[in-house]
Amino acid sequence: MSDAATPATQRTLSGRPAPRDRRYRRTRRPGELPFALLFMGFALWLFSHLGTEARWIPRLNWFQQPALWPAIAIYGMLFFGVLNLIASLMAQGSERDRREILTWVAALEYVGWYLAYAWAVGQIGYLPATMLTMLLLVWRLGIASRASLFWAAAFALGVVVVFKALLRVGIPGGRLYALFPPDIQRFLSVYF
Amino acid sequence: MDTLLSAIDILARWEVLAALIIGSVGGVIVGAIPGVGPPVAIAIALPATFAFDPIVGLTALLGIYGSSMYGGAIPAILINTPGTPVNALTTYNGYPMTQRGQAARALGLAYGASFIAGAFSVICLILLAPVLAVVAPMFGSREIFLAAALGIVLVILAHRGQMIAAGMMAFFGIFLATVGMEPIRYTRRFAFDQSWLAQGIDLIAVVLGLFAISQALVLLIEPNKRPKAARVAGSFWSGMRELGSHKRVAGVSSATGTTMGILPGVGEFTAQFFSYTYAMKTSKTPEEFGKGSPEGLIASESANNAVPAAAMIPLLALGIPGEALTAMMLSVFYVHNVVPGPGLFQNSMDFVVALYLALLLLNVAVLAFLLVSTNVILRIIEIPTRFLGAAVLVLSFVGAYSMRNSLLDVAVAAGFGVIGFILRRLDLPIVPIILGMVLGGIMENRLRTAMMRVDGPLDFINRPIAAILFALILLVIALGLRSAWQDWRRRAE
């Protein structure tokens, strides 16, 4: 069958969509469809809680209703979420969704590092925790060299001096500081 | 004159001047490092500024905001990698000039164009301030509600090709603003019986997560890169002098940047688009655009540097942030119980003028710094990206934890970091979440106040400014839909 005889919506022999069909066949980014589904799922979950988690109070003006703005927001999320899902479904599929999701999961390791660092600050103090985190991260990232370890330690010291000693940002001393004599403990708590 | 003297008096304090210098030098540096950028730096610095007077904190943040685009031009021109996203257009003409051995000329043109635009927009705004002082009080609750609604519409429509995603994110932001205790009847909304949710979701934690932690995750996950930039030889002055031959392009681009900056939700990209298109259409050598055209370089750099000062207008005059960075700055006002809006122009005009003068000084300081330190900044560009990721991750902790010394805030910021990471990976917009969160709260409060004073829906727009804003919303939606339809047709053909 010649190309001229191919119906517009039918695929060509090469497997590519026929010209009129192409407007619908944007290529999907890896991870786009899973994200669209996740977002819709989240919006639907919020919608299912709209009646219980936000109140409509009888005999109160509509513009004063506590549930008005959550409802506007959730209906907006649903409206745009549906459009986004349709657009994703109509696009040409990606075979790399799984790999992309694994990348999202891999990022959680560093979220773990971040939370562990935050916990360590309360235990061993801001300076030791920052120093330790920077040095271990540089090692974990595979960029450890004498120079990078030096700069990691210098950076950690600089951050603590700038934020805690100079700007006096409110970060309490670590529990470890309690092991020191009172004067040293006070000094460490104020500056490090 | 009294206002000006009072403004100078506000500025003439060592803390303000130190904030100005630290902010502007810091802004140039973070702007020059690809992968950091002003949102990350402002998100990290924000909580640290709460300890200072509003003028000191705002000057430091304005310093970062206003100078980052100067710094962003350096890697854009020298290594074809924009330091900040708004410098992307600069690569088109800046990098080809570097390839021809004209790096100093390109940097001179970029610095000169940025300075002219920055100074132009500040001078315009100082001249405009008395007019704003008269107009701003005409904005009551309904006008501010409509202006915020216009901001939401514009931020969605300004994301051409991504309007649906921008809409999703804007409404998600509006939803986030509603979580917690509602201020009139004190009922809980979407708290799920959790006390930490009943307090609401903190804007700073969201900002830190979406901008700083997410960027750190991107840098940590992606392969390590170490950009290399050759030293710049020669003087920048010839490029700056050449600017005199392109006064028209610099002037029009600066004016476009100033106008676009004032409009909430529009910002640098639209300003650059219009300026660049104008420069190309009116050029005697349009074929040079994209191959090292000085006019193209001037158009992109002037347009983006005129925006920061102008973007302060809706924030100061109406209390409505036009984009993510001014939304972050809004929290500095809130922390100090200063309410930006019409009252600020009526009662504290000296404060407003002081901020504008600080912006003017900032441009002078940045230009002087760049003229002597460009080659030093090149060393900073060469920091390995993974090291940078670790540094940003560590810095992100300060802001999240210092708010209330709560690990929960850190966990919330980390959660939004993951959301931001996924959005960055998918190339989806983040800014609409922040604007939705800030403008959503403003709209809710203003609608309640405004509706108490009107009898019916039509009364809502029976004042001239309200009617104009309402008509603008309809017009912008119609134009946006038309342009989306035309884009779709063009792609189909």
Side-chain angles (χ1 to χ4, degrees), chain A residues 152-164:
Chain A
F155 175 79
L157 181 66
V159 166
V160 174
V161 168
V162 168
F163 282 100
K164 190 151 184 191

Side-chain angles (χ1 to χ4, degrees), chain B residues 14 42 74 114 142 156 175 192 208 211 228 251 273 278 285 292 336 410 426 431 447 474:
Chain B
W14 73 266
I42 289 182
I74 299 173
S114 300
R142 67 187 85 165
I156 294 172
F175 171 76
F192 298 98
L208 270 165
F211 288 101
K228 281 275 173 205
F273 172 76
Y278 166 81
T285 54
H336 293 281
V410 177
L426 295 173
V431 172
L447 181 71
L474 295 181

Side-chain angles (χ1 to χ4, degrees), chain B residues 118-468:
Chain B
F120 174 89
S121 66
V122 176
I123 291 167
C124 280
L125 299 177
I126 289 175
L127 296 175
L128 210 64
V131 181
L132 284 167
V134 176
V135 175
M138 294 179 190
F139 278 74
S141 284
R142 67 187 85 165
E143 286 82 5
I144 290 180
F145 168 83
L146 287 165
L150 179 63
I152 291 279
V153 171
L154 283 172
V155 80
I156 294 172
L157 296 179
H159 284 86
R160 286 186 74 156
Q162 287 189 309
M163 281 184 209
I164 295 174
M168 280 162 62
M169 296 306 139
F171 279 98
F172 176 50
I174 295 174
F175 171 76
L176 291 176
T178 68
V179 173
M181 198 75 82
E182 164 267 332
I184 305 296
R185 298 275 158 169
Y186 300 108
T187 62
R188 288 181 175 199
R189 298 190 294 198
F190 284 87
F192 298 98
D193 291 329
Q194 301 292 313
S195 57
W196 64 277
L197 275 176
Q199 294 169 16
I201 296 174
D202 195 278
L203 177 68
I204 308 288
V206 177
V207 161
L208 270 165
L210 288 178
F211 288 101
I213 299 175
S214 68
Q215 185 60 30
L217 295 177
V218 169
L219 292 166
L220 290 166
I221 283 289
E222 288 181 355
N224 194 38
K225 281 181 244 161
R226 190 169 186 169
K228 281 275 173 205
R231 273 180 65 86
V232 181
S235 162
F236 302 124
W237 290 107
S238 63
M240 290 173 73
R241 273 198 299 271
E242 193 184 335
L243 206 64
S245 323
H246 305 291
K247 289 190 281 284
R248 181 183 47 81
V249 173
V252 172
S253 304
S254 304
T256 310
T258 306
T259 312
M260 294 297 161
I262 293 174
L263 296 174
V266 180
E268 290 93 348
F269 292 104
T270 315
Q272 281 184 325
F273 172 76
F274 282 121
S275 303
Y276 196 81
T277 309
Y278 166 81
M280 191 154 72
K281 281 191 174 159
T282 57
S283 172
K284 286 175 187 157
T285 54
E287 71 283 357
E288 280 294 305
F289 277 68
K291 297 173 190 164
S293 160
E295 291 163 290
L297 185 58
I298 292 166
S300 59
E301 281 298 303
S302 308
N304 64 30
N305 269 280
V307 171
M312 293 302 286
I313 284 281
L315 178 70
L316 296 173
L318 306 176
I320 295 173
E323 34 73 74
L325 299 182
T326 44
M328 294 186 212
M329 289 183 204
L330 188 62
S331 50
V332 179
F333 285 99
Y334 285 164
V335 162
H336 293 281
N337 284 327
V338 179
V339 182
L344 196 69
F345 271 74
Q346 279 178 310
N347 308 323
S348 310
M349 183 56 109
D350 51 352
F351 178 84
V352 176
V353 174
L355 276 180
Y356 289 158
L357 288 179
L359 270 165
L360 198 59
L361 284 176
L362 152 92
N363 280 283
V364 178
V366 171
L367 188 65
F369 174 66
L370 281 169
L371 289 176
V372 296
S373 64
T374 298
N375 278 318
V376 180
I377 293 170
L378 293 182
R379 299 287 303 274
I380 298 166
I381 295 175
E382 294 175 0
I383 297 174
T385 52
R386 285 192 158 183
F387 187 94
L388 215 53
V392 173
L393 197 70
V394 161
L395 284 169
S396 306
F397 160 78
V398 190
Y401 191 67
S402 63
M403 287 186 295
R404 288 182 290 204
N405 290 334
S406 157
L407 280 179
L408 210 62
D409 287 336
V410 177
V412 170
F416 279 97
V418 176
I419 295 172
F421 172 75
I422 295 171
L423 294 177
R424 283 181 195 272
R425 293 279 306 175
L426 295 173
D427 203 18
L428 294 176
I430 292 174
V431 172
I433 301 180
I434 302 298
L435 282 185
M437 207 172 162
V438 174
L439 297 179
I442 291 172
M443 285 198 294
E444 178 171 12
N445 290 334
R446 294 298 180 161
L447 181 71
R448 277 183 175 152
T449 320
M451 287 305 291
M452 300 290 276
R453 296 174 191 160
V454 296
D455 295 326
L458 278 180
D459 288 349
F460 202 81
I461 49 168
N462 66 0
R463 296 203 297 225
I465 293 180
I468 291 169

